[in-house]
Amino acid sequence: MTDRSDPERDHLWDEFHQAVNMTSEELRAFLMASASGEEAFPVEAEQAMPELGRGVLTVLAKRKVDLTADDLDTMRRVVELVGSMKDGAAAGGVDDERRRVLMEVGHDPLKPSRTED
C-alpha cells in the first residue's frame, strides 16, 4: 500500500474547507437561483453557473485522494479569493455585491465557518 499523503495537498484541503462554509446543497441552490436570474431556469441551468462555483461543487463531491490538478487549482483560487475579499471587507463590512461573489464560491460571510465550534 502506498502513502497517498501530500502535506501541501492536505494543507490546501484544510484551507479550502475553512474558506467554504456552505454545504454543497446550499451552494448548488444559490448558484441555480443566481443562474435563473429574473426568469425561469434556463434549459441548461448548470451551464449558466459561474465556472468557479461549478468547480467548488466538483471538489466538494470528492475525496481528498481523488483530487485532480484542476481541482487543486480551483481550491487555490477559492482560498485566495475568499482571503483577499475577507481582508478587504474587514474595514467596511459586507456589502451585497461582495457577499454575492463570495457565495458563488461557497463562502457566506454572514455564516460561521464549518470549523468553528
Side-chain angles (χ1 to χ4, degrees):
M1 179 180 219
T2 61
D3 181 16
R4 295 196 244 179
S5 180
D6 175 350
E8 286 183 46
R9 182 181 56 204
D10 293 345
H11 181 71
L12 180 59
W13 176 266
D14 292 341
E15 284 185 316
F16 175 80
H17 282 88
Q18 287 174 3
V20 175
N21 65 358
M22 296 169 69
T23 65
S24 58
E25 294 83 13
E26 291 169 331
L27 177 57
R28 182 175 301 284
F30 177 79
L31 293 174
M32 292 292 280
S34 294
S36 70
E38 296 294 318
E39 301 177 20
F41 291 116
V43 175
E44 296 293 327
E46 202 153 307
Q47 295 299 328
M49 291 181 190
E51 177 188 348
L52 192 52
R54 286 193 320 262
V56 172
L57 288 172
T58 298
V59 171
L60 290 175
K62 291 186 176 185
R63 300 176 310 161
K64 189 184 335 179
V65 296
D66 297 328
L67 296 171
T68 65
D70 286 342
D71 296 332
L72 296 173
D73 181 55
T74 294
M75 293 167 66
R76 284 184 197 97
R77 290 172 56 198
V78 169
V79 167
E80 183 177 304
L81 175 69
V82 171
S84 67
M85 291 192 80
K86 282 174 66 175
D87 290 345
V94 179
D95 60 46
D96 289 340
E97 178 65 16
R98 182 172 295 170
R99 183 172 186 225
R100 183 193 59 75
V101 169
L102 287 168
M103 288 181 71
E104 285 181 353
V105 297
H107 180 82
D108 183 347
L110 301 181
K111 179 179 179 181
S113 72
R114 292 190 278 182
T115 58
E116 290 180 6
D117 293 324

